[in-house]
Amino acid sequence: MAYDIAASTDFFHGQPYAMWQEQRAESGVVSAQGDGAMLGGHSVVAWDAVEAVLRDPVTFSSSINMAHIGQFMGELIVGLDGEEHRRYRNLVAKAFRQSQLEQWDATLVRPLINDLIDDIESAGRAELVADVTAKYPVQVICGIVGIPKDEALQFQEWAVQINTGPLNPEQGFAAKQAMTDYLTPLVESRRAEPIGDFLSDLVHAEVDGHGLEDERLWGFLRLLLPAGAETTYRVFGNALFALLSRPELMQRVQADLSLIPGVVEETLRWESSVTMVSRVATVDTEVAGCPITAGATIGVVTGAANRDPMHFADPETFDIDRPAALHMAFGTGPHQCLGMHLARLELQAGLEIVLRRLPNLRFDPHDNGPAPVIEGLAFRGPTRLPVVFDSASASTPR
Ligand code: HEM
């Protein structure tokens, strides 16, 4: 075994890719008894096996996603199966329509990232995680829901407390109530008078004459920040880390911003923020020759699939010129990420504006802090990104 199991599987600081590489070389699935099996069950690590599990929601149910967090978040789209899930998804999908995305790009996403860069560009140095990436997708989601920018922090705090409710139930339930109290007037006003925004779409959506039940509306609103902001901000940081660690590539992309879509897709493949999703077997079955009994939990390691050499040439290398191919960053099958177009739009706009407005962007050579690193087992992102750049003159275009 060439990897250290404790260092590989540490939830916050883990470096699991070497472990997954070895496991994948041995078999597509690691059983509950094997080293490094996630979530007390099986880990599925090869591309074909990951795809097979995620595309078979009858044998591999998502109900496990409701087990612990449901009491704090409410009825979650990620925890439903079959017809129930299809109906819920069709209703909320209406709020992510193309015209809405185009409007967010121009009126919300680009102004928000530009404002964040306004705050740092004259200094010539910044810590991009604290100053930019950790703030930006949270503000986007809050803006979409209709929460003012200066209240985004409070909203984020509730979202974190709800998300960690299983560890601190009292705090989790209090945050659930506080968020509901805060959002109720907004929901009521859109109910009474739709104004064509995201929330109006959600409360008035109908499929086959049925709207979104209250518990599901609240469940969806409570899920939005963890699903949409925690994920996107880390991938944004991973993309910046990839470029900052490769100064020649950074220069190439800063000189030719048309390369950014390739940077976005390659980051999503090489270092997505979400490395695994959970399922539970509904019947006795097998995956890649590994028997799995009914009721067994399964960690479906999309991050490992994204580096499967049977699917990607030279998969450990970050290569923005590799031929376009599907990756698993957003999952696949009926639960494939509903916000993936918004995420891509935020990453594209974010990188474009950061790279254009912070010329000669590079790691701070005089930084004395711990070396920046991407870390984490199930959620991966950079610890910090201390940078310097040529500070702006008044004429730098926004
Ligand atoms: C780079 C950023 C993102 C990544 C890596 C990501 C990843 C994922 C993954 C892997 C799933 C599948 C879960 C499963 O199969 O159990 C998922 C589902 C989901 N994502 Fe994302 N996501 C991102 C951004 C977003 C954004 C911006 C939003 C919304 C604003 C969003 C909303 C959702 C929702 C609602 C689902 C559940 C879909 C369903 O169960 O039918 N995500 N995401």
Side-chain angles (χ1 to χ4, degrees), residues 33 41 71 87 92 107 145 179 187 200 219 255 267 290 360 384:
Q33 287 75 39
Q71 55 176 325
R87 223 168 52 78
V92 294
T107 61
V145 177
M179 192 188 270
V187 168
S200 304
T267 305
C290 175
N360 197 14
R384 52 198 294 274

Side-chain angles (χ1 to χ4, degrees), residues 234-386:
R234 287 192 173 91
V235 174
F236 189 14
N238 292 347
L240 289 167
F241 179 95
L243 296 177
L244 288 161
S245 314
R246 296 166 181 75
E248 279 177 24
L249 182 60
M250 173 65 94
Q251 281 171 16
R252 191 179 147 213
V253 179
Q254 282 203 291
D256 180 1
L257 298 180
S258 73
L259 297 172
I260 289 176
V263 175
V264 169
E265 288 313 304
E266 178 62 348
T267 305
L268 286 164
R269 181 201 70 81
W270 176 74
E271 270 289 12
S272 177
S273 49
V274 179
T275 63
M276 61 186 77
V277 299
S278 308
R279 295 292 187 267
V280 57
T282 56
V283 292
D284 290 348
T285 182
E286 63 147 276
V287 178
C290 175
I292 295 179
T293 48
T297 55
I298 301 163
V300 188
V301 191
T302 46
N306 276 341
R307 295 200 190 183
D308 186 338
M310 303 294 281
H311 200 77
F312 299 99
D314 195 12
E316 304 297 322
T317 301
F318 181 81
D319 174 8
I320 69 164
D321 301 311
R322 70 172 63 242
L326 289 179
H327 55 67
M328 284 283 176
F330 296 116
T332 186
H335 287 274
Q336 188 176 43
C337 179
L338 201 55
M340 64 183 177
H341 302 303
L342 173 62
R344 285 190 166 113
L345 188 154
E346 287 178 68
L347 294 167
Q348 171 72 32
L351 283 170
E352 212 179 292
I353 288 163
V354 166
L355 298 195
R356 182 161 48 73
R357 292 190 58 195
L358 306 180
N360 197 14
L361 183 63
R362 58 210 187 277
F363 272 133
D364 182 350
H366 303 298
D367 175 63
N368 292 323
V373 61
I374 296 176
E375 62 180 17
L377 174 63
F379 300 105
R380 291 181 60 74
T383 42
R384 52 198 294 274
L385 295 170

Side-chain angles (χ1 to χ4, degrees), residues 77-78 85 89 141 227-228 231-232 235 272 279 329-330 335 337 339:
I77 185 169
V78 278
H85 170 256
R89 186 167 166 118
I141 298 284
T231 49
T232 313
V235 174
S272 177
R279 295 292 187 267
F330 296 116
H335 287 274
C337 179

Side-chain angles (χ1 to χ4, degrees), residues 185-208:
L186 272 178
V187 168
E188 291 309 323
S189 92
R190 299 305 190 275
R191 275 214 170 105
E193 200 178 327
I195 57 169
D197 67 348
F198 176 82
L199 208 49
S200 304
D201 279 4
L202 269 189
V203 300
H204 290 281
E206 272 194 14
V207 170
D208 305 332

